[in-house]
Amino acid sequence: MKVAELISVGTELLLGDILNSNAQYLSKQLASLGIACYYQSTVGDNPDRLQKVIELAASRANLLIFTGGLGPTPDDLTTETIAQTFSTPLVEDAAVVADIAAKFATRGRQMTDNNLKQALRPEGADILPNPVGTAPGMIWSPKPDVVLMTFPGVPTEMKRMWQDTAVPYLRSRQWATEVIASRTLRFWGVSESALAEKVGDLFDSTNPTVAPYANWGEVKLRIAAKAGTEAEALATIAPLEEHLRSIGGIDCYGADDDTLASVVGQLLARQGETISVAESCTGGGLGAMLTAVSGSSGYFLGGVIAYDNWIKQALLGVDAEVLASHGAVSAAVAQQMAEGVRDRTGSTWGLSITGVAGPEGGTAEKPVGLVYVGVAGPQVALGVPYRFGDRGREWVRQVSACSALDQLRRRLIARLGACS
Amino acid sequence: MKVAELISVGTELLLGDILNSNAQYLSKQLASLGIACYYQSTVGDNPDRLQKVIELAASRANLLIFTGGLGPTPDDLTTETIAQTFSTPLVEDAAVVADIAAKFATRGRQMTDNNLKQALRPEGADILPNPVGTAPGMIWSPKPDVVLMTFPGVPTEMKRMWQDTAVPYLRSRQWATEVIASRTLRFWGVSESALAEKVGDLFDSTNPTVAPYANWGEVKLRIAAKAGTEAEALATIAPLEEHLRSIGGIDCYGADDDTLASVVGQLLARQGETISVAESCTGGGLGAMLTAVSGSSGYFLGGVIAYDNWIKQALLGVDAEVLASHGAVSAAVAQQMAEGVRDRTGSTWGLSITGVAGPEGGTAEKPVGLVYVGVAGPQVALGVPYRFGDRGREWVRQVSACSALDQLRRRLIARLGACS
């Protein structure tokens, strides 16, 4: 098995000005290709220190992957330092000069001598083309069984070059022998620990692996399998996915790129039904989630942001007496908001949220994090309480909107079951 | 000057399962304390490789900062490997045993032998207390002019331990001699390159430094100054901030934690004015931005999400003929939406958005990214066109909401000027 080593170059990394997301991306990529990685280093734009890092890496790894230090300014030194480390002269690549000149011409700007610096490569090195920016990288074997590749630090450029050129190169040379495929199952309405108990010893499985993740109220299970081909890997995943879905039941709302909003949208579209929203503490966040889905105009009509109590009365017809006796944060008001928006828009379903997002406004009886979701639809009109706790305004608002979508999702599924 | 080196331990980092945000945090901290950092390494939970990394770091740095590998499981090896590297026996720390036992008792759980592992430290090392979790770290000088500190990989625990114990330790020993303070000025309505041209050679300034950042339509200038005390650093920043604000003019909307929504809110609150919104393509995102600000109930009344054209007519009173002749994405409809929501809510200002968010729905005449912002208020009612281009649905929606807020911000400021 070949062993890779990552070398991230840039003083801005050492100063913490930049988060090194490139290292994570490349680590994941290497793991998915079946290439080991034992060490990763970060070093500044300093030729002496960079050279020491290169020498050490070339003594213990087969594939050295550099990011950063390919720019046009004098402090970008990666190419020069690599050439110097292996005592190889730099040559100007005519094709790269022409390419950079063309890119500048397209943008109507003047190429400078600094830019010509980006056309230099050690003698014998191949260019690793950059279809997105001006700085190409290189692929070079300076000594037997050692290959090095350089990439710009800009993540979009690095990723494109990695996928377009580096991965095919590694596969063609049999350095990359494996494929990792994965599926992420998404759950709402169950805690990570409760789900973990149900899933039990599947977390000990080695191929496929199952790993839990949780954030902002959502729990995810990532199933990953390693195999010689993607089809084989996916075939290993399928029975485990089915098993986990049956364990998760209705709490499992989807997989991979699904969102609660997209799943609710699919359920509505399948029945030819529509939805409108009435929002207080989320202030439009529920509508924004629903309309983040491309094509949502097929089932989402609109709604009312009823932040002020007077708007709840004027635009949604909430009863002033109910507001006064139950308070704006109550099951009765949530229900009337949902009914009101459904009536006024003519939608199949009205979905509402009213709650205390905090940090101000909580009382002993109605603390921060108390939220009511209202649902109005065929044969149903009610308000459901949730207690999310005082975990920050942003958190309460986000989890409220997701919980409203999940509330409707469960009802839509139950109704589909009853109808079928 | 003392030189630090970061050593991140964990196979999960090498596999890319985790983004190494600890390295960025600690890099920033070291820079702000005036401690240099020339190298950073990541290595897996492997004692031989970890030992090599430790030996190298101890030969070239004074302060070795470890994160990760302090957990209770057998693959957590940082403490053991450090002791082994410096040929020092491990001893059990009675105070830590008592502390871990107490934490388990509080949670009503049974302590295991694995947990006792976390009470081990090399003879002569001091405990670096962990007030948040069970894994303490250590501070130890295994040889002259070398100090090493260990932290758990969990960011919240690491940060708390760093601030509570490590920083005071470094200051008391005069290793940390400097303070970096910074201010970030925020701009909307000007491109990074246009602002850079105006700011000119200030980017070459070394103390304070000025650095530009841009994302999602916003441009930021970060001013950072190094000095012996925070007050001195801030005093160095103040005149430069004033200068940059005068260069930026009205494009500079705020600093640090300000948002366009919070700034608009302050302008409204100052005049005792209120706002309501009417949203089409943003689907509630503008309302969500405004209500993300705590205390927004003082000036934000609510609004209408008019996604479907029929809702624009039914809930906002947009003229069916205007819709038919101009189309939903037009200055006339934007204006009528703003007027409609202002009338229906009784707010001082009505702010509306209608546009083509994409990816579907664009035409040659009305391409993806064409957006109209409507403003209705005292002596004003109009629709303003924006062309954001086809840069993704999420981008168009986000930039649309920000541009609407900025449009109102400029009018509120102009009006304040006219009134004063």
Side-chain angles (χ1 to χ4, degrees), chain A residues 147-166:
Chain A
V147 167
L148 51 81
M149 298 179 172
T150 63
F151 299 87
V154 182
T156 50
E157 299 183 17
M158 180 276 290
K159 289 179 189 174
R160 178 78 183 270
M161 293 161 70
W162 174 260
Q163 293 295 348
D164 283 6
T165 305

Side-chain angles (χ1 to χ4, degrees), chain A residues 117-152:
Chain A
K117 190 168 152 322
Q118 297 183 300
L120 297 176
R121 55 176 171 78
E123 203 167 46
D126 290 320
I127 289 298
L128 204 170
N130 181 345
V132 196
T134 57
M138 64 160 138
I139 301 186
W140 185 36
S141 179
K143 64 180 206 183
D145 211 31
V146 170
V147 167
L148 51 81
M149 298 179 172
T150 63
F151 299 87

Side-chain angles (χ1 to χ4, degrees), chain A residues 300-369:
Chain A
F300 179 73
L301 300 186
V304 170
I305 305 171
Y307 211 59
D308 194 272
N309 281 347
W310 186 81
I311 307 288
K312 294 183 180 75
Q313 299 174 52
L315 295 193
L316 291 170
V318 173
D319 194 335
E321 274 182 32
V322 170
L323 266 173
S325 58
H326 291 76
V329 178
S330 62
V333 168
Q335 178 182 330
Q336 290 201 351
M337 288 171 67
E339 290 176 314
V341 80
R342 181 178 182 239
D343 288 348
R344 277 155 186 74
T345 62
S347 59
T348 321
W349 298 92
L351 192 59
S352 74
I353 300 175
T354 177
V356 189
E360 313 293 324
T363 62
E365 195 200 345
K366 298 192 175 177
V368 171

Side-chain angles (χ1 to χ4, degrees), chain A residues 42 283 287-288 291 303 305 393 397, chain B residues 40 283 287-288 291 303 305 393 397:
Chain A
T42 302
T291 56
I305 305 171
R393 182 177 180 86
R397 283 158 42 99
Chain B
Q40 303 178 354
T291 56
I305 304 171
R393 182 178 181 83
R397 283 159 41 101

Side-chain angles (χ1 to χ4, degrees), chain B residues 45-260:
Chain B
D45 300 302
N46 175 295
D48 295 337
R49 294 185 203 118
L50 177 53
Q51 179 163 343
K52 283 183 192 147
V53 168
I54 298 171
E55 285 166 354
L56 181 62
S59 74
R60 63 189 182 188
N62 313 105
L63 175 64
L64 277 52
I65 302 174
F66 296 78
T67 52
L70 301 188
T73 61
D75 66 342
D76 290 304
L77 296 161
T78 302
T79 306
E80 293 82 337
T81 308
I82 289 172
Q84 162 122 5
T85 305
F86 297 102
S87 308
T88 304
L90 287 167
V91 294
E92 193 175 271
D93 191 291
V96 174
V97 174
D99 183 51
I100 296 177
K103 280 177 179 158
F104 270 87
T106 306
R107 296 176 197 171
R109 283 166 50 206
Q110 191 65 42
M111 185 168 73
T112 69
D113 284 353
N114 277 342
N115 296 107
L116 284 180
K117 189 168 154 319
Q118 296 183 299
L120 297 176
R121 55 175 172 78
E123 204 168 45
D126 289 320
I127 289 298
L128 204 169
N130 182 345
V132 196
T134 57
M138 64 161 139
I139 302 185
W140 185 37
S141 179
K143 64 180 204 181
D145 210 30
V146 170
V147 168
L148 52 82
M149 297 180 172
T150 63
F151 299 88
V154 182
T156 48
E157 299 182 18
M158 180 275 291
K159 289 178 189 174
R160 178 77 183 272
M161 292 162 70
W162 175 260
Q163 293 296 347
D164 283 6
T165 305
V167 173
Y169 174 95
L170 293 169
R171 288 212 186 279
S172 72
R173 270 157 193 74
Q174 314 290 322
W175 284 31
T177 55
E178 286 178 334
V179 173
I180 290 185
S182 74
R183 273 291 266 183
T184 299
L185 295 182
R186 296 176 171 273
F187 299 79
W188 192 269
V190 61
S191 73
E192 186 178 11
S193 55
L195 186 60
E197 263 183 39
K198 288 192 200 175
V199 171
D201 53 10
L202 287 173
F203 292 147
D204 299 330
S205 163
T206 51
N207 191 24
T209 58
V210 180
Y213 302 87
N215 68 335
W216 293 76
E218 181 176 29
V219 181
K220 292 178 262 191
L221 293 181
R222 180 169 179 265
I223 315 167
K226 222 177 223 199
T229 67
E230 190 173 13
E232 277 179 76
L234 289 172
T236 321
I237 288 174
L240 187 55
E241 173 176 345
E242 199 178 329
H243 182 51
L244 289 171
R245 278 182 182 269
S246 74
I247 288 175
I250 197 166
D251 294 336
C252 178
Y253 74 80
D256 293 342
D257 293 336
D258 288 337
T259 63
L260 282 162

Side-chain angles (χ1 to χ4, degrees), chain A residues 13-25 27-29 31 37-44 48-50 52-53 56 60 213 222 277 279-298 300-311 314-315 341 344-346 358-360 393 397, chain B residues 13-25 27-29 31 37-44 48-50 52-53 56 60 213 222 277 279-298 300-311 314-315 341 344-346 358-360 393 397:
Chain A
L13 289 166
L14 294 181
L15 292 174
D17 289 339
I18 288 178
L19 181 62
N20 194 353
S21 61
N22 286 344
Q24 185 186 26
Y25 174 83
S27 299
K28 273 192 185 170
Q29 287 287 313
C37 180
Y38 296 146
Y39 302 96
Q40 303 179 355
S41 302
T42 302
V43 61
D48 295 338
R49 291 185 204 121
L50 177 55
K52 283 183 193 146
V53 168
L56 181 62
R60 62 188 182 187
Y213 301 88
R222 180 168 178 265
V277 298
E279 306 188 50
S280 184
C281 66
T282 46
L286 175 58
M289 267 186 201
L290 280 159
T291 56
V293 180
S294 175
S296 48
S297 57
F300 179 73
L301 300 186
V304 170
I305 305 171
Y307 211 59
D308 194 272
N309 281 347
W310 186 81
I311 307 288
L315 295 193
V341 80
R344 277 155 186 74
T345 62
E360 313 293 324
R393 182 177 180 86
R397 283 158 42 99
Chain B
L13 289 166
L14 294 181
L15 292 174
D17 289 338
I18 289 178
L19 180 62
N20 194 354
S21 61
N22 285 343
Q24 184 185 27
Y25 174 83
S27 299
K28 273 193 184 168
Q29 287 286 314
C37 180
Y38 296 145
Y39 301 96
Q40 303 178 354
S41 302
T42 302
V43 61
D48 295 337
R49 294 185 203 118
L50 177 53
K52 283 183 192 147
V53 168
L56 181 62
R60 63 189 182 188
Y213 302 87
R222 180 169 179 265
V277 298
E279 305 188 51
S280 184
C281 66
T282 45
L286 175 58
M289 267 186 200
L290 279 159
T291 56
V293 181
S294 175
S296 47
S297 58
F300 180 73
L301 300 185
V304 171
I305 304 171
Y307 210 59
D308 194 273
N309 280 347
W310 186 82
I311 307 288
L315 296 193
V341 80
R344 278 155 185 74
T345 62
E360 313 293 324
R393 182 178 181 83
R397 283 159 41 101

